[in-house]
Amino acid sequence: MISGVDLVVIGADGGPDRGFGGSALAADGARLLADVLPGMCFDAGSAGCRVAVVDPAADANTMLTEVREAARRPGRWLVVCLLGQLVADPRGRRLALVTGGSTADNAYRRGLAWDWVVSAMVHGDQEEALLLVDAVADRDTWAALERGGGEDGAGELLSYSRVPLWGRVGRYTPGRRGRDDVLPGGDGSFSRSLTAVLEQGIPGAPAAVAPLDLQPAVAARLGGGDPAAAAQPGTTGARLLVPPHGGRLLMRNRAAVRGALAGLSLSEELLAVLWRESAPTDPPSA
């Protein structure tokens, strides 16, 4: 049987090194996404979603293995979530997610390379793929992202990714965590903003919404995500990754369901629930 959604959630804990404190809450955000996302998939729901939550302390090989195994399974969608702190290679051309036990000297070599994850998703056996990113970057990595550098620059990995991206990459300054930095998995982060929007829904929107439909509501909740605010002195800045048009991945809009049921009697509500549970799982556009 072909799965509806294969979801791989990676919230990497960079360990005790102070320079990688940006990943301190990544595991919390990963658990939140793993709990909320499956039930929000419009035509699959929890029953049609296979979820793999990777140990926050796992090494890069273990993380990549989970992505590759999910990518090999035939399905409609492959959704991978990366949460934590990003680091660039010495030349500022490649990115990796910092993994546990890393130091300033070996963080890139030990980390989960962005290219590896994207390559596994591109060559997967699903019809569509989406990479959710809730990450931060220190000063040097942020500078590499801002420089761009054409096809060889780290910034191009976010601007022209081979798979659709959705999320936020913010700046992280060690020692300032308690003041103005938004940490992946923390208050104002992409993972918390997305789950809040999914749980509350969007009043006035259809019962099934695409990631792009959700983006304005998610962006409104993101700490430091306003481009105008990011340009002001003293702010951390952020780079928002906006999902593209198209695609058939649809999410449930709980506000629409509440609105539809608001005027029904209890017996009618029960009938509506039974109808929804027995309805076919093929997406409207299939």
Side-chain angles (χ1 to χ4, degrees):
M1 179 178 178
I2 295 180
S3 169
V5 179
D6 278 281
L7 175 65
V8 182
V9 187
I10 300 174
D13 185 349
D17 191 300
R18 181 184 178 188
F20 304 134
S23 63
L25 302 177
D28 295 340
R31 285 190 292 269
L32 191 59
L33 289 173
D35 289 342
V36 174
L37 282 177
M40 292 294 103
C41 296
F42 181 77
D43 75 319
S46 299
C49 187
R50 290 185 291 207
V51 184
V53 182
V54 184
D55 186 338
D59 59 24
N61 287 333
T62 300
M63 294 177 177
L64 183 62
T65 296
E66 290 285 359
V67 176
R68 286 175 171 170
E69 288 182 351
R72 282 196 290 263
R73 292 191 286 263
R76 289 178 179 162
W77 300 282
L78 172 62
V79 180
V80 177
C81 308
L82 294 183
L83 297 89
Q85 186 165 339
L86 297 175
V87 63
D89 72 311
R91 295 186 178 184
R93 296 179 177 179
R94 298 291 179 263
L95 293 173
L97 189 70
V98 177
T99 55
S102 298
T103 66
D105 295 330
N106 65 17
Y108 178 78
R109 295 194 306 274
R110 290 179 59 104
L112 175 63
W114 182 280
D115 289 348
W116 297 351
V117 174
V118 170
S119 178
M121 297 178 70
V122 166
H123 295 96
D125 205 14
Q126 284 80 15
E127 297 174 11
E128 297 183 22
L130 179 65
L131 180 56
L132 302 184
V133 181
D134 188 2
V136 291
D138 64 12
R139 181 185 61 186
D140 293 340
T141 302
W142 184 264
L145 293 174
E146 290 292 280
R147 284 196 302 269
E151 295 182 357
D152 292 330
E156 297 300 301
L157 299 177
L158 303 183
S159 300
Y160 303 101
S161 176
R162 292 184 291 163
V163 298
L165 303 176
W166 189 18
R168 177 186 186 271
V169 178
R171 292 181 62 178
Y172 170 69
T173 304
R176 300 177 63 183
R177 185 175 65 192
R179 290 191 289 168
D180 54 11
D181 285 328
V182 175
L183 301 188
D187 293 338
S189 67
F190 173 74
S191 52
R192 287 195 176 273
S193 299
L194 173 59
T195 53
V197 169
L198 289 174
E199 289 175 333
Q200 296 178 13
I202 304 177
V209 289
L212 190 60
D213 299 322
L214 295 169
Q215 173 61 18
V218 174
R221 289 177 169 271
L222 291 173
D226 180 14
Q232 298 300 318
T235 60
T236 59
R239 184 165 181 168
L240 301 187
L241 308 175
V242 180
H245 290 277
R248 296 191 302 166
L249 179 63
L250 298 174
M251 312 301 289
R252 298 180 188 272
N253 179 14
R254 283 187 168 175
V257 175
R258 287 194 297 269
L261 297 179
L264 299 181
S265 66
L266 180 59
S267 59
E268 289 174 324
E269 286 190 20
L270 291 175
L271 289 174
V273 171
L274 291 173
W275 176 86
R276 186 170 65 249
E277 292 296 327
S278 62
T281 58
D282 288 336
S285 57

